[in-house]
């Protein structure tokens, strides 16, 4: 008898927790960036690439040998970056308006509100 009472109580508490989590997640968008790098130094494949918002990494991946990559992570608002560690960006092409290479050439800034970007080509120096 005691076990019969505990199971419904536990299920009730778990369902309340799950409902609360869903409400929080419903207000969070995803930033999705994909594309292809053109590179000459094979060491480029050994370093991760990141999506960064306010100096916080929201996604990390390694490019494939072909140079292609996909990154996705939680995004709320503001400018975010496709960021490299040591390799500088020479140029890029995309249909998304407002993207630009940062002053240090280590990242591409993606404007506020853009949640999906495809880079046709990102050429490294």
């Amino acid at each position: 008898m005691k076990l019969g009472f505990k199971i419904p109580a536990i299920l009730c508490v778990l369902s309340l927790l799950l409902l609360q989590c869903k409400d929080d997640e419903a207000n969070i968008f995803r930033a999705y960036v994909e594309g292809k790098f053109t590179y000459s130094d094979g060491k480029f494949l050994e370093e991760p690439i990141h999506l960064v918002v306010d100096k916080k990494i929201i996604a990390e991946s390694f490019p494939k040998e072909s140079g292609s990559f996909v990154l996705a992570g939680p995004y709320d608002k503001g400018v975010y970056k496709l960021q490299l560690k040591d390799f500088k960006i020479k140029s890029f092409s995309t249909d998304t308006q407002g993207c630009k290479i940062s002053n240090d050439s280590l990242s591409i800034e993606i404007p506020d509100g853009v949640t999906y970007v495809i880079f046709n080509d990102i050429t490294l120096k």
Side-chain angles (χ1 to χ4, degrees):
M1 289 298 263
K2 290 182 182 181
L3 184 60
F5 175 71
K6 289 181 181 180
I7 292 175
I10 291 171
L11 290 175
C12 183
V13 170
L14 286 175
S15 65
L16 288 174
L17 289 173
L18 291 174
L19 288 174
Q20 180 62 35
C21 292
K22 285 186 178 181
D23 289 343
D24 290 344
E25 292 174 4
N27 296 327
I28 298 175
F29 296 102
R30 304 279 302 164
Y32 182 87
V33 178
E34 67 177 290
K36 184 174 181 180
F37 287 99
T38 300
Y39 63 95
S40 57
D41 187 345
K43 290 184 180 181
F44 169 68
L45 299 174
E46 298 171 6
E47 293 188 6
I49 54 177
H50 299 113
L51 285 184
V52 178
V53 176
D54 295 326
K55 299 181 182 180
K56 179 182 173 189
I57 296 172
I58 61 168
E60 176 180 274
S61 184
F62 287 86
K64 295 180 182 175
E65 223 175 289
S66 64
S68 65
F69 68 93
V70 174
L71 289 162
Y75 169 75
D76 185 26
K77 61 182 177 179
V79 173
Y80 62 103
K81 297 178 181 182
L82 169 65
Q83 189 167 350
L84 307 178
K85 184 176 178 184
D86 294 320
F87 291 88
K88 295 194 174 196
I89 299 165
K90 179 179 180 182
S91 63
F92 70 90
S93 65
T94 183
D95 293 334
T96 303
Q97 298 293 318
C99 295
K100 64 180 183 178
I101 298 174
S102 64
N103 291 336
D104 63 7
S105 298
L106 292 173
S107 62
I108 298 174
E109 297 173 2
I110 302 167
D112 184 18
V114 175
T115 58
Y116 185 79
V117 182
I118 297 175
F119 290 103
N120 303 315
D121 182 62
I122 300 172
T123 303
L124 303 180
K125 292 182 179 180

